Amino acid sequence: MTRIKIFSILFTALLYISCSKDDYKLGSDIDPFLRFNFLVKSDNTPLEYPAVNGNLVPQSTYDNKAIRTLKVPVALTTRALKGTITANFSAETNGASDSFSVNPVNQLTFQGSKLTDTIYVSFDKRWAASQNIKLKLETVSDPDIHIGNLNSAYPNDTFNINLGTIATNYTFPVTKYNVKGEIGETIDFKVYYPNGFFPEEIENASIFKFQNGFEYSLTHDDYGDNRTSVNYHLTLLEDLQNDDAQYESKLTLINIPNYTATGNISLTITKPIKIPRDIQAYPASKFTDPTNAFYLTYGEHWFNNGACSWQTFNALTFPVIVTKDDPNAILYSDRGTTNPNDDIYHDAFKIGFNVASGTNTVNSFGLKRWFSNESNSASISPGFNITSALEFFPANGNSKTEGTVLVIPQDITIGSAATASVPSKSHIIAISGEGTYKEISNGLYEISFELKLTNDELFGGTVSTQYRMFNNRTYPKPAALSIPCPKEVTL
């Protein structure tokens, strides 16, 4: 058989399988059919309807290791519906029947252009080892509709959920908030559970360690149906009105039975020293371009790469978004409307480093050169993305060309890359530093500062080095320094 004929046969076979699974390729001679349409992305997480991806093939089995509600779509492939179609399904398990629930209970509905309905599988308690749940399409109200694909190889009329080992953990998605210091002021923050949680396991648990520099109350919302985060509300119980003093409280997540604190485990609430600054100086705008999601700042740091030398790095750089009532808020965009509620405000004096989207990390301050065996995943090393990193203080409070700069003091988390035999290990590193910024030529700004990193295990205390950062990729190479420099450490 020739190579062309072999390719033709394979292509025809693949096309038949694909067409029988694809709502958008229905031919006029194909009977209507109903089947599970559960799609899985490359990271083994479900692609939730109504998102679509024609390159993914519906699965008949899914290994679930998360507590969050699992959404299982069921699709009806037909040209048109003249009325309402209902389909009944069953849900069985080889384990405890009260460990999960489904919604709707047993019937799906299709009508008009609504050709997909969803079964929501909620997990109500920790399951036993090797438990599974089997969903099966049983009957359909229209006898002309076939249950399952129109081929025997991939019927997709049943869907099996294998319940694997649960890894429950929690983290802070945001690690620092500033307050104005007024009694009754409230800060809202979240504790994020990437794989979900069981309310009865955390309802009476003490998940925080407190270091309090002022008095406040702490409450949280009802858990509701959202099993991936909990909303907390911190309310000031005293006025913090000494503008020459900094007030600070810290909440740290601790490990409790069945739940592990990972990633960002510390949240800092600060009322900073108040320094008069004119927002029209707007130094943050010199180092960001919100119209460009891939805008970079460029830097060099004095580092040991066999010998002390300037090492280059760059990072995606973004403004810090704030609310209208923030004392440093400057209007960035009114979105072209007269409605003030949709206006976008930026902090006139702060910038940060982050990815444009996704779960990877950028190289804030060139930190990835400081470590070997580091994980680049934001879930393990969130400290590589520092969303509020530098704060500017214009000379005389209003200079548009120069001033001082502060590395915003905070704890960051960097973790090692896991192997088959060695799990990832997280390290909490305190960062701080200060320096100056200045327009060194027309439109070219340089930030010159010292960065300090503190961790007893990694560094034996505090280490530091010099940095230069620029708002353009073309800049004068810094002159060599006659000072020691740090070198890479293994996590």
Side-chain angles (χ1 to χ4, degrees), residues 69-364:
T69 298
L70 189 65
K71 303 175 184 178
V72 183
V74 178
L76 172 59
T77 300
T78 184
R79 281 202 171 275
L81 286 179
K82 297 179 180 179
T84 298
I85 299 296
T86 60
N88 292 326
F89 68 93
S90 60
E92 298 179 349
T93 181
N94 65 344
S97 59
D98 63 347
S99 64
F100 76 100
S101 57
V102 296
N103 183 37
V105 176
N106 61 9
Q107 190 173 85
L108 302 167
T109 303
F110 308 88
Q111 55 188 354
S113 60
K114 178 180 175 288
L115 299 180
T116 294
D117 204 356
T118 302
I119 301 172
Y120 296 85
V121 182
S122 300
F123 303 100
D124 304 316
K125 60 173 62 175
R126 285 188 180 265
W127 49 75
S130 302
Q131 184 174 349
N132 63 65
I133 300 169
K134 181 179 180 180
L135 303 177
K136 182 180 181 181
L137 298 174
E138 300 283 2
T139 61
V140 62
S141 61
D142 186 340
D144 292 332
I145 296 176
H146 186 269
I147 294 180
N149 281 320
L150 302 180
N151 68 78
S152 58
Y154 303 95
N156 291 118
D157 57 347
T158 62
F159 184 72
N160 292 293
I161 305 168
N162 296 323
L163 301 181
T165 302
I166 311 171
T168 43
N169 47 52
Y170 42 34
T171 188
F172 287 119
V174 178
T175 61
K176 187 178 180 66
Y177 289 93
N178 284 347
V179 294
K180 291 179 287 186
E182 301 170 353
I183 190 169
E185 182 181 356
T186 297
I187 290 294
D188 300 324
F189 66 90
K190 291 180 181 291
V191 174
Y192 177 52
Y193 296 76
N195 287 328
F197 64 90
F198 294 108
E200 66 273 12
E201 293 182 344
I202 66 171
E203 187 166 6
N204 298 314
S206 298
I207 68 172
F208 300 119
K209 179 177 71 175
F210 300 94
Q211 293 174 276
N212 295 332
F214 50 81
E215 294 185 15
Y216 59 86
S217 65
L218 190 64
T219 59
H220 66 76
D221 291 347
D222 292 337
Y223 297 123
D225 295 328
N226 177 14
R227 298 287 182 83
T228 58
S229 65
V230 178
N231 297 316
Y232 284 83
H233 313 284
L234 183 148
T235 302
L236 295 187
L237 299 179
E238 63 173 309
D239 275 324
L240 312 177
Q241 295 305 315
N242 183 352
D243 290 340
D244 296 326
Q246 176 165 299
Y247 302 83
E248 185 173 283
S249 288
K250 181 178 290 187
L251 289 75
T252 302
L253 291 168
I254 60 176
N255 296 334
I256 62 172
N258 294 321
Y259 293 83
T260 304
T262 58
N264 293 321
I265 66 171
S266 292
L267 171 66
T268 303
I269 310 294
T270 302
K271 192 267 183 180
I273 296 171
K274 188 173 182 179
I275 299 175
R277 288 177 288 183
D278 182 0
I279 62 171
Q280 297 305 321
Y282 202 0
S285 66
K286 310 301 181 184
F287 301 95
T288 60
D289 181 3
T291 65
N292 181 2
F294 302 100
Y295 178 82
L296 296 169
T297 49
Y298 302 84
E300 309 225 5
H301 60 155
W302 189 244
F303 204 79
N304 190 329
N305 188 25
C308 290
S309 62
W310 287 108
Q311 302 293 311
T312 62
F313 67 93
N314 58 60
L316 292 168
T317 311
F318 296 93
V320 175
I321 297 175
V322 295
T323 57
K324 180 181 180 179
D325 60 351
D326 188 286
N328 299 329
I330 188 167
L331 179 63
Y332 166 67
S333 172
D334 62 6
R335 295 179 182 263
T337 73
T338 58
N339 181 4
N341 295 323
D342 66 359
D343 293 349
I344 300 174
Y345 288 85
H346 291 166
D347 192 305
F349 306 107
K350 294 179 183 177
I351 62 171
F353 311 105
N354 203 354
V355 291
S357 62
T359 59
N360 291 324
T361 54
V362 295
N363 197 14
S364 299

Side-chain angles (χ1 to χ4, degrees), residues 372-383:
S372 63
N373 193 41
E374 74 277 7
S375 171
N376 290 317
S377 168
S379 62
I380 298 174
S381 297

Side-chain angles (χ1 to χ4, degrees), residues 16-37:
Y16 174 70
I17 292 172
S18 174
C19 288
S20 67
K21 293 171 175 290
D22 192 331
D23 288 346
Y24 303 100
K25 298 178 180 178
L26 182 63
S28 59
D29 58 338
I30 296 180
D31 294 332
F33 59 97
L34 184 72
R35 87 286 193 205
F36 289 102
N37 194 34

